[in-house]
Structure formats: structure tokens, C-alpha cells
Amino acid sequence: MDDFLKNFFPSVYQRKQAHLKETDYCKYDNQVLTLFTSSLYFSALVSTFGASWVTKNRGRRISIMAGSVSFFLGGLINAAAVNIAMLIIGRIFLGMGIGFCNQAVPLYLSEIAPHKIRGAVNQLFQLTTCLGILIADIVNYFTAELHPWGWRLSLGLAMVPAVLIFVGGIFLPETPNSLVEQGRLEEAREILEKVRGTMDVDAEFEDLKDASEAARAIKNPFQNLLKPRNRPQLIIGALGIPAFQQLSGMNSILFYAPVIFQSLGFGSGAALYSSLITGSMLVIGAIVSMGTVDKLGRRFLFIEAGIQMICSMVVVAVTLALKFGHGEEISKGLAVLLVAAICLFVLAYGWSWGPLGWLVPSELFPLETRSAGQSVVVCVNMFFTAAIAQCFLAALCHLKWGVFILFACLIVIMSLFVILLLPETKQLPIEEIYQLWGQHWFWKHIVAKDNEINRHYMGVN
């Protein structure tokens, strides 16, 4: 928004006005502007380790509510900001909220859901996130017309979902897994019977108690992640998937959709309108994923979407290489082609790496390392989110259309990673997923090196 840029980033505003009707890759290349965006993710990266302790020892519900308080403070400070320092402090509080909620919510959903629909229930996290992005785009579209304070309303409205999260948290039950982990067995069984809708929960409850006993034997869950029996979860769940989720380039496109479309020669209003379109695609993708993830499986969605995303990025790169960057507005036909390609990319991401990037890690870890593992997931995710956010506009300026080829190549690597290393986890009870590693062509040689897993998990005496 121009009013926002005038107040906090006047040099960017002047550069934007000088190139208003030109296609200029470097129009928004400003490290302080990108620091405003990425400071949130650096904060989330650090706070997730504190969130891990709260999630493990005080429960998933308390961690979610703590995140909502931080969200509220961040929205309040940003709305009242009079300088860049206040903006960044507000973003840091928002980042702490993300650190807590991203740590606890996927775990909560995976643990509370029946295993046959765990994928769909967990993806409510991504669906509501996408709805939030779409609502934010709509809010921005209308507040952009409220001069000169519309940006304050836009940032301050973040307090509304924060209040809803806190109030909702008051009424949430804690997960049975967390209650067993805390030694509250009777309460855990009551909640398990309630959320399953049956008294016949003996087998699942015994699995939870066994997993809890194994978890109590672990004095340092972060160190335990390095053991051979947890190597697949570490490589796939904690490192590979959260890193690749950001290296797809999706968040760069999402964060800077208005900037990208303005750089492509769209007007300011048309740029926000175009981001509404991409936000809608993200929601549609999340809904498609919810309906198919427990039927088609995780691997199918990853692989199909990878092909679609690669093709979309190549179309964008080729179009820009041929027609863009000469100081002239591109034709409406090419603009429509670019928007369509970006929308197809967002749609594919919306039913694959977006929701599955949170679902798959949350179901891979055994209870003894689940909270620690999820902290590493969030930490890696936030690190790469911050790094990409900080570097994307500079990369767009210097690599020009080549940045989209770079993302296409990374998606090829991501897809091969899934094909070779990720087993299918659909419809398996969460406490039985560890059995997959002993049957996998590659991981069985790694986990076999762990004597404890041979005795405890494989049933070898």
C-alpha cells in the first residue's frame, strides 16, 4: 500500500513511482523491506524450542493458547506502529505466535483424529490457513482505499483471529496422547472415548500407554532424534519436507503476489485483485487435498503436483525471458497467461506441499520424539521461509526470469526425494507408522543398525 510505503519505506515508494508503468524486476529490491517480512520467521524459528517444552510438559492446548496471546500483542503493536522498529517488534510477537501454534496445532490434529481420516482432519490446519490468507487479501483490497490509515486497520485486524484462537482453546480437550504423557491416565481414557465415540478403545489406549512408557525412558528427545531408528523421521520429516516446502518457491509467490503482479505491469488495484485469485486457488487446493489425501495417498499428491508445478514454473520463466524486462507493459494476453500459470502452480501446491508439508512430519515421529521432532520441523520450515523471503526480491532483481527456472529445478529434486524415500502412510494408526521403516528398500538398512529397535519394534528377543 502506498500509504504504508510512504511512512516506512519512502525510498521504495519513490522507486515504485518512477517505474510505475514499467516492467522492472528491481523495483522492490530493498533489504529493510524484506527484513520486515522475514523477521516474523526468524522469531518463529527461535520460539519453537520454547514451544516444544510447553507442548510436551503442559500440553498441546496450552501451547496453542500461548501462541494466540503472542498473536494478539503482535497485531496491536503493528497497528500502532510509528517507526520501523515498532513494526519489526510487532512481527517478532507474531512470529512467536507462529512458533507456538505451528508446533502444537499439527500435533493436536494428528493425535485427536481417527487414523482413517487423520489426513483430512490434519489438513484443516492448511485449509484454515489458506482461508486466512484469502480473507487477508480481501481485507487488504478494501483497506487500500482507506487513506491514510487503511494499513493500520489491515495489520490490527490480526487481533481478531488471535482472540478466536484463545477463546476456542478454552473449550478444547487436551489430546489423549498428551494426557498419557503427563500421567493423567483416567482423564486420557475419558477423552479418548469421547472423541472416538465409543467405549471400545482398549487397543488404542494400550498403544498410547506403551508409547508413553517408551517416551519417559528418553531423557533427551532432541539427542534421541539422531539415533538410527529415528534417522528416517529426521531426514524426511524434520529436515527434508519442511525445507522443500519453502524451496518450492510458493511462499515467495504468495508473500509478494501484489509485488510480482505490479512488476509484471499490472496496476496497484489489479495486483491486489490478482492476489485474491491466487488466494482462492490455495483454498481450492486445500479442499481438494482434504477429499483425496486418505484415498489417493500422500505420495500420489506429492508426485502429481510436482509435475504440475514444474510445468507452471517453466511457462512463467519462458514467457518472462521472451517478453519481459524491456521497460514496457506486457500485453493483456501474456499477462493472463502468466496469471494462469501462477494459479496452476498455487493450485498444485495447495493440494500437495502446502498441507502435506505439515501433515506428513506430524505423523512420522513416535511419541517419544514427537514434540522435539515437531520443533525441528517448525525451526527448519521457518529458517527456509525467512531465508527465501529475505533473498527472493534480490534474486528476482539479479536472476530475473532465471529465478523461476531455479525453483523448477528444486521441485524436480523434491519430487525425486519423495519418490525414493517416503513410504505411504495413509490410513495407518499413528503409533504404528514406525513399522514402515523396517520394510522400506532404503531405510530398513539404516534402522537395522539400532539394536533397541530390533528388540522393541521388530519383536526380536
Side-chain angles (χ1 to χ4, degrees):
M1 295 180 187
D2 286 347
D3 293 321
F4 178 80
L5 292 177
K6 287 177 189 175
N7 279 351
F8 300 103
F9 305 99
S11 63
V12 177
Y13 173 75
Q14 291 167 8
R15 195 186 312 162
K16 174 186 169 184
Q17 295 304 309
H19 299 278
L20 195 60
K21 294 187 180 301
E22 294 181 9
T23 52
D24 180 5
Y25 285 103
C26 300
K27 197 183 297 186
Y28 294 91
D29 181 20
N30 180 287
Q31 288 300 297
V32 180
L33 177 62
T34 51
L35 180 62
F36 166 67
T37 297
S38 56
S39 59
L40 181 148
Y41 301 99
F42 287 123
S43 171
L45 185 157
V46 174
S47 66
T48 186
F49 293 103
S52 173
W53 186 90
V54 175
T55 302
K56 181 176 176 61
N57 294 285
R58 294 290 181 263
R60 285 55 163 154
R61 186 176 73 96
I62 295 300
S63 195
I64 293 169
M65 294 174 72
S68 70
V69 173
S70 190
F71 275 130
F72 184 89
L73 293 173
L76 180 64
I77 294 170
N78 270 349
V82 294
N83 53 46
I84 291 177
M86 282 187 73
L87 279 180
I88 292 178
I89 290 170
R91 296 284 286 182
I92 289 172
F93 274 102
L94 291 172
M96 291 170 62
I98 285 181
F100 274 81
C101 288
N102 279 17
Q103 214 277 341
V105 174
L107 290 187
Y108 185 96
L109 292 171
S110 285
E111 291 179 348
I112 209 79
H115 63 84
K116 289 186 178 180
I117 57 168
R118 186 177 62 248
V121 171
N122 185 279
Q123 288 184 342
L124 288 169
F125 177 65
Q126 179 69 8
L127 176 62
T128 48
T129 299
C130 295
L131 286 170
I133 292 168
L134 180 59
I135 291 169
D137 286 334
I138 294 170
V139 167
N140 286 341
Y141 184 77
F142 288 104
T143 56
E145 304 301 318
L146 302 175
H147 304 287
W149 52 272
W151 65 269
R152 291 191 186 276
L153 178 61
S154 181
L155 294 177
L157 283 172
M159 292 184 285
V160 174
V163 171
L164 293 175
I165 293 170
F166 186 86
V167 173
I170 294 172
F171 297 99
L172 281 178
E174 187 52 84
T175 70
N177 310 60
S178 179
L179 292 171
V180 169
E181 202 172 14
Q182 296 172 50
R184 297 154 63 183
L185 297 181
E186 290 185 12
E187 190 178 348
R189 185 177 179 100
E190 287 176 9
I191 295 219
L192 187 61
E193 291 174 354
K194 182 178 180 181
V195 297
R196 297 293 181 260
T198 177
M199 304 286 284
D200 185 18
V201 295
D202 291 342
E204 185 174 2
F205 190 61
E206 288 303 315
D207 281 346
L208 290 181
K209 289 198 294 184
D210 290 344
S212 179
E213 288 176 12
R216 285 198 191 95
I218 303 301
K219 302 302 181 185
N220 190 332
F222 284 99
Q223 186 177 354
N224 192 54
L225 280 172
L226 301 176
K227 292 187 175 181
R229 69 175 178 274
N230 292 318
R231 198 67 50 77
Q233 299 95 306
L234 177 66
I235 300 299
I236 298 175
L239 301 177
I241 288 178
F244 285 139
Q245 187 188 49
Q246 303 311 316
L247 291 172
S248 67
M250 176 60 225
N251 273 353
S252 299
I253 288 175
L254 201 61
F255 293 158
Y256 300 109
V259 172
I260 291 172
F261 286 122
Q262 283 181 8
S263 292
L264 296 180
F266 290 70
S268 178
L272 281 172
Y273 183 70
S274 298
S275 67
L276 287 176
I277 296 173
T278 57
S280 302
M281 294 299 104
L282 211 51
V283 172
I284 293 170
I287 293 171
V288 170
S289 190
M290 284 184 66
T292 58
V293 68
D294 290 313
K295 297 174 183 176
L296 300 177
R298 285 68 161 152
R299 282 169 53 87
F300 175 85
L301 291 176
F302 271 132
I303 295 165
E304 185 283 329
I307 296 170
Q308 185 170 324
M309 291 162 72
I310 293 165
C311 293
S312 298
M313 280 296 184
V314 170
V315 169
V316 171
V318 170
T319 304
L320 296 184
L322 295 176
K323 297 292 183 181
F324 185 67
H326 305 295
E328 301 174 0
E329 286 196 62
I330 57 177
S331 68
K332 287 186 178 181
L334 282 177
V336 169
L337 176 63
L338 285 170
V339 173
I342 288 174
C343 285
L344 286 172
F345 176 90
V346 174
L347 197 60
Y349 178 91
W351 64 55
S352 62
W353 285 94
L356 301 183
W358 295 108
L359 165 63
V360 174
S362 73
E363 62 187 9
L364 291 185
F365 294 99
L367 185 61
E368 68 236 41
T369 58
R370 193 166 295 154
S371 182
Q374 188 67 14
S375 284
V376 179
V377 170
V378 176
C379 179
V380 172
N381 187 291
M382 292 301 118
F383 173 80
F384 279 94
T385 304
I388 294 294
Q390 194 66 28
C391 298
F392 177 71
L393 290 181
L396 187 64
C397 176
H398 296 289
L399 296 178
K400 299 180 172 58
W401 56 268
V403 73
F404 297 100
I405 291 293
L406 173 62
F407 283 133
C409 293
L410 288 171
I411 297 167
V412 171
I413 296 171
M414 291 158 49
S415 300
L416 291 174
F417 178 86
V418 168
I419 292 169
L420 295 175
L421 298 180
L422 178 67
E424 183 53 66
T425 57
K426 68 176 180 179
Q427 298 190 2
L428 273 177
I430 194 169
E431 303 301 347
E432 295 180 11
I433 286 176
Y434 68 84
Q435 296 174 355
L436 294 173
W437 310 120
Q439 303 163 10
H440 189 271
W441 72 273
F442 176 77
W443 295 120
K444 65 182 180 182
H445 304 294
I446 305 295
V447 299
K449 297 176 182 177
D450 196 311
N451 292 328
E452 188 175 338
I453 198 170
N454 287 336
R455 292 195 305 271
H456 181 69
Y457 289 149
M458 301 301 184
V460 177
N461 295 319

